[in-house]
Amino acid sequence: MKIGLLYSRIRKDEKLLLAELRDRGHEVTKIDVRKETFDLTDAPATFENLDLVVDRCLATSRSLYATQFCEAYGIPVVNSHETADICADKVKTSLTLAGAGIPTPATKVAFTTKSAMEAIESFGYPCVLKPVVGSWGRLMAKIDSKSAAEAILEHKATLGHYEHKVFYVQEFVDKPGRDIRVLALDGEPVAAMARHDDHWLTNAAKGAETTTFELDSEAESLVEQASDAVGGGLLGVDLMETDSGYTVHEVNHTVEFKALNEAVDLDVPASVVDWLESTVGMEVMA
Amino acid sequence: MAECVECGADVPLHNDLESGEIIDCATCGVELEVIDVNPPVLDRAPELEEDWGE
């Protein structure tokens, strides 16, 4: 296949994918989206004759627009713009998961510091305040007291950017020192790891320890449901364990898998390329 | 081997270098982006934008 890989930064994840694709003889065109201009109807020259585009843009805005352009040009793209649009925004993700009946942390959204404080007080302490866009645990706040809430809200008001005016407040889930990352291909779990940390944030990007994790049928079912709800594709579904079962708190549409690849015996990039070849490739041939 | 654009130190390069990759200068600590691989060209890496992430 002729595969375009959209990027603005090549991480280890992209290097693993590139190596696997090239080893199998696929013709790979790396497309640095910073260098492109996107016409409304005519695809840039770098997109010519591509069978498939794989979106690995690190910047969410670039990912969202670039996937939309690919679809406008009639080029299959992984993941779809619909999936990216839902997963890139925590509000849209939460609404989608809740709408599909998938357990997800209780969440409230407010647009002013006054109403945000009301949302925080309704949860009590601790609770969590998150930016609606972003990853790697950045700007996530666990709020332990009213005075901490007041300080954080004042800071966000002072920071000024409009995204700081959308307050995404969530119940604090007292997970057992770990959460679970599942890599799924159209809802089918490929590999899973637990991310352990004494810190309340258990992101691998923040240095959490990772170990392989065996999914039970409940978790597998939730991963499939979450994937279906957001439109499927190559996804990282994050689960937390609670007293009443799992809760799905995040679905990542440009999933990083280098930590997972090291935590499990499976060759993760090989599985991803298997899927690209079998599922997406067959669609292209049809 | 390439030269750090920040401090001028030699930066060792590995064999599977990719344009768009970020490498650190061990001397000054600056993040460098690989602009080209043949021959290797490095520049200061762009700052992370707010919406960069997984």
Side-chain angles (χ1 to χ4, degrees), chain A residues 7 9-10 15 18 22 30 34 58-62 135 138-139 181 252 254 256, chain B residues 14 16-22 31 33 35 45-46 48-54:
Chain A
Y7 77 97
R9 177 175 281 203
I10 297 292
K15 291 191 76 167
L18 286 167
R22 289 169 178 156
K30 284 168 61 187
R34 295 170 299 178
L58 191 52
T60 305
S61 53
R62 295 169 185 169
S135 271
R138 288 171 305 150
L139 297 180
R181 155 61 57 87
N252 298 280
T254 48
E256 295 177 330
Chain B
H14 41 84
D16 61 344
L17 202 65
E18 292 278 354
S19 58
E21 192 176 348
I22 304 298
E31 279 193 330
E33 179 178 354
I35 304 298
L48 287 174
E49 301 287 344
E50 185 50 50
D51 64 343
W52 284 30
E54 184 173 30

Side-chain angles (χ1 to χ4, degrees), chain A residues 191-207:
Chain A
M193 67 179 177
R195 304 180 291 196
H196 307 259
D197 206 311
D198 293 335
H199 196 278
W200 73 280
L201 289 172
T202 44
N203 300 65
K206 281 190 171 293

Side-chain angles (χ1 to χ4, degrees), chain A:
Chain A
M1 287 195 294
K2 293 181 178 175
I3 297 177
L5 187 130
L6 303 179
Y7 77 97
S8 52
R9 177 175 281 203
I10 297 292
R11 296 163 285 184
K12 187 174 180 183
D13 311 86
E14 283 72 48
K15 291 191 76 167
L16 290 167
L17 266 185
L18 286 167
E20 187 68 28
L21 287 165
R22 289 169 178 156
D23 284 351
R24 298 194 191 192
H26 295 298
E27 190 178 319
V28 184
T29 303
K30 284 168 61 187
I31 303 173
D32 184 344
V33 294
R34 295 170 299 178
K35 297 177 179 173
E36 300 295 338
T37 56
F38 295 90
D39 184 88
L40 294 181
T41 53
D42 298 325
T46 44
F47 287 68
E48 278 180 16
N49 301 320
L50 294 178
D51 296 312
L52 172 73
V53 167
V54 179
D55 170 35
R56 297 298 304 178
C57 288
L58 191 52
T60 305
S61 53
R62 295 169 185 169
S63 173
L64 291 177
Y65 290 124
T67 52
Q68 201 161 16
F69 275 111
C70 287
E71 291 179 359
Y73 301 145
I75 305 170
V77 58
V78 171
N79 286 314
S80 71
H81 174 71
E82 178 201 1
T83 295
D85 186 51
I86 295 170
C87 296
D89 185 305
K90 287 188 174 60
V91 177
K92 292 178 182 177
T93 304
S94 293
L95 279 169
T96 300
L97 293 174
I102 298 164
T104 193
T107 302
K108 293 185 179 182
V109 175
F111 300 132
T112 66
T113 52
K114 183 174 184 294
S115 53
M117 180 56 86
E118 289 171 5
I120 290 167
E121 292 271 292
S122 76
F123 282 117
Y125 303 98
C127 66
V128 176
L129 185 63
K130 299 178 178 179
V132 290
V133 174
S135 271
W136 305 330
R138 288 171 305 150
L139 297 180
M140 307 263 272
K142 179 186 172 194
I143 302 176
D144 291 312
S145 66
K146 184 172 184 178
S147 57
E150 290 169 342
I152 291 167
L153 293 176
E154 185 180 354
H155 277 88
K156 285 177 78 70
T158 303
L159 286 169
H161 191 280
Y162 75 91
E163 281 183 348
H164 291 298
K165 301 292 193 284
V166 181
F167 300 92
Y168 178 97
V169 187
Q170 203 163 58
E171 68 171 319
F172 177 74
V173 176
D174 193 12
K175 58 184 185 286
R178 68 181 186 188
D179 75 350
I180 298 151
R181 155 61 57 87
V182 186
L183 187 122
L185 299 168
D186 274 339
E188 185 174 334
V190 172
M193 67 179 177
R195 304 180 291 196
H196 307 259
D197 206 311
D198 293 335
H199 196 278
W200 73 280
L201 289 172
T202 44
N203 300 65
K206 281 190 171 293
E209 182 188 343
T210 56
T211 56
T212 187
F213 187 84
E214 288 295 322
L215 297 174
D216 57 24
S217 58
E218 179 194 354
E220 288 178 350
S221 172
L222 284 177
V223 168
E224 184 177 358
Q225 290 175 57
S227 173
D228 287 349
V230 302
L234 164 58
L235 298 170
V237 182
D238 292 346
L239 309 167
M240 288 189 285
E241 298 151 287
T242 74
D243 292 340
S244 55
Y246 295 100
T247 185
V248 180
H249 60 285
E250 201 164 300
V251 184
N252 298 280
H253 73 286
T254 48
V255 56
E256 295 177 330
F257 49 82
K258 54 183 175 286
L260 180 66
N261 196 47
E262 290 171 8
V264 301
D265 290 332
L266 188 79
D267 186 334
V268 174
S271 299
V272 171
V273 174
D274 284 345
W275 174 74
L276 291 174
E277 288 173 339
S278 62
T279 306
V280 185
M282 283 174 70
E283 285 178 8
V284 171
M285 298 287 285

Side-chain angles (χ1 to χ4, degrees), chain B:
Chain B
M1 200 71 78
E3 185 177 287
C4 174
V5 295
E6 183 76 18
C7 69
D10 286 338
V11 179
L13 303 172
H14 41 84
N15 292 333
D16 61 344
L17 202 65
E18 292 278 354
S19 58
E21 192 176 348
I22 304 298
I23 54 179
D24 294 328
C25 173
T27 304
C28 70
V30 74
E31 279 193 330
L32 299 165
E33 179 178 354
V34 179
I35 304 298
D36 212 337
V37 294
N38 193 22
V41 178
L42 305 179
D43 200 355
R44 289 175 192 82
E47 293 292 318
L48 287 174
E49 301 287 344
E50 185 50 50
D51 64 343
W52 284 30
E54 184 173 30

